[in-house]
Amino acid sequence: MRLIDVEAFLNFDKGKAGLDAQLLVEFNGPKLAKTAYAILSHCWGEPEDEVQHTEMESLMKMDTAARGKVQRRSGYCKIRESCLQARRNHLRWIWVDTCCIDKRSSAELSEAINSMYVWYANSDCCYAFLHDIDTKTLPTKPDYKNFTDFRGWPKWFSRGWTLQELVAPKDVQSFNRNWEYITSKQDSARKLHDITGISMIVLQKGLTFSYPCVAQIMSWAADRTTTREEDRAYSLLGLFGVHMRMLYGEGKNAFLRLQLEVIRMINDQSIFAWGWTRESGTASAFLANDPSHFRDCSDSIQAFSVTNHGIKIWLPMKLSWVLGVLLGAKYVLICADDCIDK
């Protein structure tokens, strides 16, 4: 994992960095486990507006004119403002995907995508930059005039990659386009649930506490989009705890491979709970063509799982009360005899 040295970058930005200053530093293994860092979540702008890894590496060697062009980019401003916020939070290191991944290397890109959920989960703080909001509060209702990408909500909520970036970190702090603080994930769990459909218990306590079923997680991604079609699948890897090779160019086959890997690793029959949709119709195979088929599965539960130890089953509980005193509880198993030949 490659991290930005916050102090080195801010000193460079002010023209005070020494010739031996190192803006990007590699961290791995035990060293990474002991390192506190912030992480940025944002919507990418146009490629020419972002600061790529090669440019970040060569910033110190650029002449004044070339350096000035880079520093005027909106992507550079995101890095500077996130570094300033990290300093306020007393964090020396920060990860920004645009410049911390060398995308020229397919091996490094594959490792980063397969590791990204863990990187966000292990961060001390995640800064969610909502570039299309001016106010210091989240919208209270859909605004289809100003936000057309995600049912009337800001663009950040429409992107495939930002799903795991909202779920994985313990602390997510949102900022508007002026880098003014809006709210945190914990303080706005109800509103975030209304916007994204993610259950409040997941937003407040994480995936490992509530164990939502496969179909429910898929439903959170149903209306999200990515620039590359394959990323609709790749952006979900960490949410299911599975790993895959990156094969850009495979199109919808990426989502089929994801489902096969989920089936191989997770014993959860809800992956077959998808159905027909007006936009996508019915898939031509046993598996869904894309996450939109799971749009109506937000209330799905994993009814049962079969393991070598037996059958694990989830049942509703019926409590018995008398004069305000709990006497006991019964699990209710609803059986149907519709198929019995009478």
Side-chain angles (χ1 to χ4, degrees):
M1 186 181 192
R2 196 177 286 114
L3 297 174
I4 300 171
D5 186 326
V6 169
E7 291 304 320
F9 182 86
L10 293 176
N11 285 335
F12 163 80
D13 186 62
K14 294 179 180 178
K16 297 180 180 179
L19 295 176
D20 60 342
Q22 195 173 0
L23 302 184
L24 296 173
V25 180
E26 291 272 1
F27 287 83
N28 292 291
K31 183 180 178 182
L32 176 59
K34 297 177 182 179
T35 302
Y37 62 91
I39 201 163
L40 178 65
S41 174
H42 65 114
C43 297
W44 278 45
E46 296 299 323
E48 60 270 19
D49 293 330
E50 301 292 348
V51 180
Q52 307 295 331
H53 170 73
T54 52
E55 295 171 314
M56 194 71 165
E57 285 279 305
S58 59
L59 270 178
M60 302 290 295
K61 303 173 185 176
M62 289 181 181
D63 58 43
T64 304
R67 186 182 301 172
K69 288 182 180 179
V70 174
Q71 290 178 312
R72 287 191 290 272
R73 295 181 191 173
S74 59
Y76 181 91
C77 294
K78 281 189 284 189
I79 297 173
R80 182 183 62 230
E81 292 298 329
S82 58
C83 281
L84 287 170
Q85 187 59 43
R87 174 194 274 174
R88 295 185 193 104
N89 294 143
H90 308 291
L91 294 170
R92 181 182 171 184
W93 306 98
I94 189 168
W95 187 82
V96 180
D97 55 356
T98 51
C99 62
C100 290
I101 303 174
D102 187 354
K103 300 172 190 66
R104 296 172 301 175
S105 168
S106 59
E108 180 172 331
L109 179 60
S110 180
E111 179 185 359
I113 290 176
N114 277 284
S115 304
M116 205 169 293
Y117 183 90
V118 174
W119 290 350
Y120 274 89
N122 291 342
S123 67
D124 285 66
C125 190
C126 174
Y127 307 137
F129 179 55
L130 279 58
H131 68 280
D132 48 3
I133 290 183
D134 291 314
T135 62
K136 294 183 180 181
T137 59
L138 291 175
T140 57
K141 59 182 179 180
D143 182 348
Y144 296 98
K145 180 179 180 181
N146 293 315
F147 310 121
T148 59
D149 287 313
F150 191 67
R151 305 195 306 268
W153 301 109
K155 184 177 180 180
W156 187 83
F157 295 105
S158 76
R159 307 303 293 163
W161 289 106
T162 56
L163 173 58
Q164 68 173 2
E165 294 164 14
L166 174 60
V167 171
K170 299 180 184 68
D171 184 11
V172 180
Q173 299 179 8
S174 302
F175 296 85
N176 65 17
R177 73 171 66 197
N178 301 313
W179 279 92
E180 297 171 315
Y181 177 76
I182 299 175
T183 187
S184 70
K185 179 168 71 169
Q186 294 294 331
D187 292 339
S188 298
R190 168 58 67 181
K191 173 53 66 178
L192 292 172
H193 164 72
D194 293 340
I195 296 173
T196 65
I198 303 171
S199 63
M200 287 186 61
I201 193 68
V202 169
L203 291 168
Q204 293 170 331
K205 297 184 180 294
L207 281 177
T208 56
F209 182 87
S210 59
Y211 295 105
C213 70
V214 169
Q216 190 175 16
I217 295 175
M218 290 288 194
S219 74
W220 304 338
D223 294 305
R224 291 175 178 260
T225 59
T226 55
T227 303
R228 300 290 297 268
E229 185 176 24
E230 297 84 352
D231 284 337
R232 293 199 75 186
Y234 301 160
S235 62
L236 297 174
L237 291 175
L239 290 162
F240 296 114
V242 299
H243 299 86
M244 281 170 39
R245 290 176 56 218
M246 304 299 105
L247 298 174
Y248 283 104
E250 65 175 324
K252 287 184 178 296
N253 190 60
F255 189 64
L256 296 178
R257 284 203 300 129
L258 170 65
Q259 291 172 90
L260 290 174
E261 190 63 19
V262 169
I263 292 169
R264 189 175 74 86
M265 298 297 296
I266 304 173
N267 191 359
D268 183 345
Q269 289 75 28
S270 73
I271 195 170
F272 305 114
W274 60 273
W276 179 90
T277 64
R278 183 179 300 275
E279 296 82 2
S280 306
T282 301
S284 57
F286 193 55
L287 300 175
N289 284 332
D290 62 66
S292 65
H293 286 286
F294 291 88
R295 182 176 290 113
D296 299 325
C297 296
S298 59
D299 296 324
S300 298
I301 62 170
Q302 183 181 358
F304 68 93
S305 62
V306 182
T307 70
N308 292 335
H309 300 290
I311 298 177
K312 182 189 291 184
I313 190 165
W314 283 258
L315 297 171
M317 180 184 291
K318 183 178 181 181
L319 303 179
S320 298
W321 297 85
V322 175
L323 299 177
V325 178
L326 178 61
L327 297 181
K330 296 179 180 179
Y331 291 100
V332 182
L333 177 60
I334 302 175
C335 301
D337 61 354
D338 294 344
C339 296
I340 297 177
D341 186 13
K342 295 182 179 179

